[in-house]
């Protein structure tokens, strides 16, 4: 049987993987349709911006309801699925993007989900798609809806995901399978891990972990502010008092935060202004590393670590509230904001809600995440690499979401009523961690999916990488290669 493949993948390098895989299949695989980049059959960003004049190649405004999405509506987790997609569609709302959609309320988001889901379902039927391939974990909105529909309609689904390890990527049939495998019984060389070392993450700036000079307002911040006023509230240009007072507020924020923060260089909005004012209020917070505490480093949002892998825990305050419910007397919860974060999912009510949780301290920017990880009784996270770092230092990690390392020794999956003292007293065998991590590596696939990760591959060869990745993709799609996580092929 010929495989009819619906593919989501953005970027020229992913197009090269796809073309090579089809050629390699010698007719066994045909492309039903491709979503993602401008030259694809469906241009994803146009779908997320919901432009009526450009529907990205998907007939959102032309089709008539035929009930193609009924299998999706029958899913027991349908409401959770909708909520996940709405969260992701919100990333292109007017409060966070200049090139945005115009969705204004919850009903608009629900209507959009149903329209996109029906259109995706009809596209799958019309093109006779039998399989679906996602070259990254769906997490931006339209791709998640396509994933939901493909799963509900019973297509053979394959999801790929880049790892933090050089030249390695994961695969799975379902997003919620990430991190699920049984390391026992796998014969593989252990992964050498320097005890107590932090993972080397090229995307982390060392300035984020130490005291830095205070910043100063610059030309880009002023330009962003003026652009916002001109586009969103042009009459304010005629109000000198508003203009001067807002520029003073912006300058005060820059003078309070470290100089590596440039809050308004790319985008200004009143919500961003309020967020950074709240954040600046905590730059002088006191905290004691000698007392028992749980370390909670917040994820950047919107991003796949929460909006795709977090489930209900994409609401990170819910995670902190769950911890606080079982927090022993005398313990604290130290929360550190992500250095990349902006106002998304951090409105004024976020800080009000955070202040109401017992035992919580929001740490200043200069608090060192590596020291916090070493000194904490344990680290709690949705799915972030902070949990992996904790394991490397010999400390436990409590994980709430689909973290890739959640089957490794030292990880505790959250459940209500956790015994904090027992978790803190866990003894982690470093050799066991190296063995289990080696077993995980043996289930990974060679290759680079994300071009930014080529910088950690010594002697990277683009042509050889395209060959490797396309060969593996074909094997996964045809079922000849077992996925990293979940049930074997």
């Amino acid at each position: 049987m010929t495989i009819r493949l619906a593919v989501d993948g953005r970027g020229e390098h992913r197009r090269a993987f796809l073309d090579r895989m089809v050629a390699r299949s010698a007719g066994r695989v045909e492309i039903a349709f491709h979503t993602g980049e401008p030259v694809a059959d469906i241009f994803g960003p146009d779908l997320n911006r919901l432009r009526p004049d450009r529907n990205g190649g998907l007939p959102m405004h032309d089709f008539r309801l035929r009930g193609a999405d009924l299998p999706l509506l029958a899913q027991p987790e349908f409401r959770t699925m909708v909520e996940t997609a709405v969260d992701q569609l919100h990333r292109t709302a007017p409060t966070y993007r200049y090139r945005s959609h115009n969705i204004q309320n919850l009903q608009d988001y629900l209507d959009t989900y149903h329209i996109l889901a029906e259109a995706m379902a009809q596209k799958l039927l019309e093109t006779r798609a039998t399989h679906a391939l996602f070259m990254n974990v769906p997490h931006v909105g339209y791709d998640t809806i396509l994933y939901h529909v493909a799963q509900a309609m019973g297509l053979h689904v394959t999801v790929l995901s880049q790892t933090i390890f050089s030249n390695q990527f994961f695969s799975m049939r379902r997003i919620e399978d990430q991190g699920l495998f049984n390391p026992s019984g796998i014969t593989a060389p252990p992964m050498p891990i320097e005890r107590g070392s932090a993972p080397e993450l090229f995307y982390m700036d060392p300035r984020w972990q130490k005291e830095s000079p205070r910043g100063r307002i610059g030309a880009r911040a002023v330009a962003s502010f003026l652009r916002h006023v001109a586009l969103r509230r042009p009459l304010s240009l005629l109000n000198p008092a508003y203009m001067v007072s807002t520029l003073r507020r912006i300058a005060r924020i820059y003078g309070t935060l470290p100089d590596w923060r440039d809050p308004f260089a790319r985008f200004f909005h009143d919500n961003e202004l309020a967020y950074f004012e709240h954040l600046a209020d905590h730059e002088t917070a006191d905290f004691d590393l000698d007392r028992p505490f749980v370390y909670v480093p917040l994820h950047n949002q919107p991003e796949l670590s929460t909006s795709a892998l977090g489930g209900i825990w994409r609401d990170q305050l819910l995670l902190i509230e769950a911890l606080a419910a079982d927090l022993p007397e005398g313990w604290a919860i130290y929360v550190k904001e992500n250095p990349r974060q902006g106002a998304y999912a951090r409105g004024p009510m976020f800080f009000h809600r955070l202040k109401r949780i017992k035992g919580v301290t929001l740490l200043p920017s200069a608090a060192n995440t590596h020291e916090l990880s070493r000194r904490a009784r344990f680290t709690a996270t949705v799915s972030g690499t902070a949990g992996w770092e904790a394991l490397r230092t010999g400390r436990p990690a409590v994980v709430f979401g689909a973290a890739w390392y959640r089957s490794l020794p030292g990880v505790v999956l959250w459940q209500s009523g956790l015994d904090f003292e027992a978790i803190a007293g866990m003894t982690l065998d470093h050799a066991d961690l190296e063995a289990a991590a080696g077993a995980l590596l043996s289930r990974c696939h060679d290759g680079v999916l994300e071009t930014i990760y080529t910088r950690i591959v010594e002697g990277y060869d683009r042509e050889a990488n395209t060959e490797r990745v396309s060969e593996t993709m074909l094997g996964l799609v045809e079922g000849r290669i077992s996925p990293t996580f979940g049930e074997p092929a």
Side-chain angles (χ1 to χ4, degrees):
M1 182 189 75
T2 301
I3 291 173
R4 298 278 298 165
L5 188 63
V7 183
D8 178 69
R10 297 174 292 281
E12 181 184 346
H13 60 296
R14 290 189 174 96
R15 165 63 73 175
F17 301 156
L18 181 59
D19 291 344
R20 192 67 55 83
M21 179 187 69
V22 172
R24 183 187 294 275
S25 75
R28 300 193 305 277
V29 175
E30 298 175 351
I31 301 303
F33 63 91
H34 178 199
T35 68
E37 60 198 45
V39 298
D41 301 302
I42 298 172
F43 182 35
D46 271 355
L47 296 182
N48 276 7
R49 288 193 288 269
L50 305 176
R51 294 182 54 177
D53 57 325
R54 293 176 59 188
N55 59 29
L58 191 66
M60 291 171 54
H61 307 282
D62 301 329
F63 72 89
R64 292 292 181 267
L65 183 68
R66 297 190 312 204
D69 64 338
L70 287 178
L72 175 66
L73 305 183
Q75 297 299 300
E77 298 298 319
F78 176 68
R79 287 299 169 188
T80 301
M81 296 158 72
V82 172
E83 191 176 325
T84 298
V86 167
D87 174 62
Q88 295 172 12
L89 288 170
H90 195 55
R91 67 166 58 213
T92 44
T95 47
Y96 308 111
R97 294 286 186 274
Y98 291 124
R99 300 177 65 195
S100 62
H101 58 57
N102 194 35
I103 299 178
Q104 300 295 326
N105 56 57
L106 177 60
Q107 187 59 46
D108 287 346
Y109 278 106
L110 295 176
D111 294 340
T112 298
Y113 182 91
H114 283 279
I115 290 171
L116 275 173
E118 172 69 17
M120 291 288 192
Q122 289 194 27
K123 189 73 172 178
L124 289 170
L125 288 173
E126 290 169 358
T127 59
R128 307 187 315 280
T130 59
H131 291 60
L133 171 66
F134 297 84
M135 296 194 215
N136 196 3
V137 175
H139 66 284
V140 298
Y142 79 88
D143 54 352
T144 292
I145 298 173
L146 175 59
Y147 169 80
H148 288 165
V149 173
Q151 289 282 13
M153 294 178 66
L155 272 68
H156 183 281
V157 174
T158 302
V159 179
L160 311 181
S161 178
Q162 188 70 58
T163 79
I164 63 171
F165 306 114
S166 175
N167 206 39
Q168 298 288 305
F169 65 95
F170 298 137
S171 63
M172 63 207 84
R173 302 290 180 219
R174 305 184 308 156
I175 296 172
E176 55 267 38
D177 286 344
Q178 176 157 283
L180 296 180
F181 81 108
N182 183 4
S184 64
I186 297 177
T187 302
M191 177 196 293
I193 302 172
E194 182 183 351
R195 187 188 299 269
S197 63
E200 295 183 5
L201 304 174
F202 66 90
Y203 50 81
M204 298 290 284
D205 191 328
R207 295 180 301 167
W208 296 346
Q209 312 305 334
K210 60 186 178 181
E211 289 286 352
S212 300
R214 300 300 92 179
R216 296 180 62 182
I217 186 173
R220 291 197 301 173
V222 174
S224 289
F225 168 60
L226 294 176
R227 183 182 185 187
H228 166 77
V229 176
L231 291 174
R232 303 287 167 82
R233 45 191 310 172
L235 291 179
S236 294
L237 290 170
L238 305 177
N239 185 344
Y242 165 78
M243 299 295 290
V244 171
S245 65
T246 305
L247 284 170
R248 284 176 176 169
R249 290 170 67 187
I250 294 173
R252 191 178 306 117
I253 289 170
Y254 274 88
T256 304
L257 297 175
D259 61 357
W260 48 261
R261 274 275 194 189
D262 201 348
F264 310 113
R266 297 177 58 190
F267 182 79
F268 179 90
H269 192 279
D270 293 334
N271 290 1
E272 296 285 335
L273 184 65
Y275 164 72
F276 283 106
E277 284 184 326
H278 278 289
L279 196 63
D281 287 342
H282 297 273
E283 282 300 290
T284 58
D286 291 326
F287 58 99
D288 180 7
L289 294 182
D290 291 325
R291 69 178 300 184
F293 68 91
V294 180
Y295 177 40
V296 181
L298 296 178
H299 292 260
N300 181 35
Q301 291 181 276
E303 197 42 83
L304 70 84
S305 56
T306 51
S307 59
L309 301 177
I312 64 170
W313 307 108
R314 66 179 173 276
D315 176 0
Q316 295 182 79
L317 287 182
L318 187 61
L319 178 157
I320 299 170
E321 290 167 345
L323 290 170
D326 297 317
L327 191 69
E329 190 69 31
W331 282 52
I333 300 174
Y334 287 165
V335 178
K336 185 178 180 185
E337 180 58 290
N338 192 288
R340 289 194 177 96
Q341 187 63 43
Y344 188 95
R346 301 287 196 275
M349 296 307 293
F350 175 91
F351 292 95
H352 177 66
R353 184 176 164 197
L354 184 66
K355 288 179 181 178
R356 298 171 65 248
I357 307 174
K358 70 175 183 179
V360 169
T361 297
L362 183 60
L363 303 178
S365 302
N368 187 293
T369 189
H370 307 308
E371 184 68 12
L372 287 160
S373 182
R374 284 191 293 269
R375 302 283 292 274
R377 293 300 196 266
F378 60 84
T379 293
T381 181
V382 179
S383 63
T385 53
W388 169 238
E389 178 173 346
L391 300 179
R392 294 167 64 108
T393 63
R395 306 303 302 154
V398 173
V399 168
F400 287 72
W404 59 265
Y405 52 83
R406 60 176 160 159
S407 293
L408 300 184
V411 172
V412 177
L413 303 182
W414 181 85
Q415 57 182 325
S416 181
L418 287 180
D419 186 333
F420 283 35
E421 298 285 0
I423 295 172
M426 289 174 59
T427 301
L428 307 186
D429 187 297
H430 192 72
D432 288 346
L433 176 64
E434 291 181 317
L440 174 57
L441 273 185
S442 73
R443 294 177 64 91
C444 292
H445 314 292
D446 293 339
V448 181
L449 304 174
E450 307 275 354
T451 53
I452 193 173
Y453 281 83
T454 60
R455 68 181 66 179
I456 62 173
V457 180
E458 186 175 351
Y460 174 75
D461 184 318
R462 179 174 179 175
E463 180 63 22
N465 183 68
T466 299
E467 286 292 332
R468 283 194 300 271
V469 173
S470 62
E471 181 179 8
T472 301
M473 282 171 37
L474 180 60
L476 287 165
V477 166
E478 292 187 322
R480 294 181 289 102
I481 296 177
S482 295
T484 309
F485 300 120
E487 295 298 323

